[in-house]
Amino acid sequence: MGDDKLHFVLLPFMAQGHAIPMIDIAKLLASRSGTTVTLLLTPLNHIRVKPILSRSSQLGAHIHVEELHFPAEEVGLPAGYENIDLLPSTSLIDKFWFAANMIQSQVETLLKKMMFPKQSCCLVADMSFIFAAEVSQKLGIPRIFFNGMNCFASLCIHHILTCSNILDTVSGEFEYFDVPGMPHKISFTESQVKAGMATPGNKEWREAMEKLMGNESTAYGVIFNTFEDLEHVYIRHYENVRHRKIWSIGPISMFDKELAHNNAIIRGQTSSVDATQCLKCNQVAC
């Protein structure tokens, strides 16, 4: 690499569960010497994270931001609907996802402006952006695929939807079936799968999932917000079946040493569940 600084360009999806860990990853990368980090955000999502980015800068981890226009009105959504948590109904998620994948030309333009020298630039794109593979291939820069789920859930999706037709063999919505190919015996009902995987019987959704998995297969590697001690078996199994390099860097929120003192709004909208209550529930479960 010589004297060239590594430049990581992060593209988070516009939903809190996707964006919050990506912001933490940006802070982690920016804290390392010799790196430049740029976040691609829409104006509203930029405003939301400005306090935490300012605090990060004060601590010496500088993160640049380039803004993207979110084409809400182009798909029939009201202007300003730039995050999934602003949608009045889950029935609009499809339109939102379609709008999010209409920003390809903007991303390409910004990357062309920033990728000098090209060899030191890397795109870290959320799994929801289907166009990311095409952009990185067109510009000749490496791409890392961010998967906000854990390896266990991702393996289930792979074995149920990508490499088997197991759901076609299930006769009833509440009949249990064993997930093929898993390292342990895992059983679900079709109703549980539908609840967790957003109506997998929907043809358009299946096609989107196929594109998503194909998008992953051409990436340089995959970042999971998980950790080895929790999912060692599933991480290794995922690497073997997907033939991908995996970085398990989670829980990424632990990188934020000041998290205990931060207002929840800094990291996103106010949670409907109190953190103390979550800890109480975990203690009861244990």
Side-chain angles (χ1 to χ4, degrees), residues 35 38 90 108 138 155 159 209 214 247:
T35 61
T38 300
T90 55
E108 284 186 23
K138 183 184 294 186
L155 264 178
H159 287 303
M209 285 301 303
W247 290 277

Side-chain angles (χ1 to χ4, degrees), residues 46-160:
H46 185 190
I47 291 171
R48 284 185 169 187
V49 300
K50 269 186 177 180
I52 201 165
L53 295 183
S54 296
R55 181 57 181 158
S56 178
S57 182
Q58 291 170 11
L59 296 174
H62 304 286
I63 299 171
H64 306 281
V65 174
E66 294 283 352
E67 291 193 349
L68 300 162
H69 165 68
F70 188 79
E73 293 176 285
E74 286 89 326
V75 297
L77 294 173
Y81 278 43
E82 298 177 20
N83 197 292
I84 277 185
D85 65 9
L86 296 174
L87 298 178
S89 169
T90 55
S91 64
L92 298 174
I93 288 178
D94 286 351
K95 283 188 175 182
F96 186 93
W97 184 83
F98 185 70
N101 276 278
M102 289 172 63
I103 63 172
Q104 178 174 349
S105 60
Q106 295 182 69
V107 172
E108 284 186 23
T109 299
L110 287 172
L111 281 172
K112 286 177 182 177
K113 183 177 72 173
M114 293 184 289
M115 53 181 264
F116 295 104
K118 180 168 62 176
Q119 291 78 10
S120 65
C121 189
C122 175
L123 174 65
V124 183
D126 187 275
M127 61 190 293
S128 300
F129 293 109
I130 303 298
F131 64 79
E134 182 180 340
V135 169
S136 64
Q137 290 167 2
K138 183 184 294 186
L139 300 181
I141 59 174
R143 173 179 55 92
I144 295 175
F145 184 95
F146 172 66
N147 188 331
M149 297 187 293
N150 53 57
C151 276
F152 172 79
S154 299
L155 264 178
C156 287
I157 292 173
H158 171 79
H159 287 303
I160 294 173

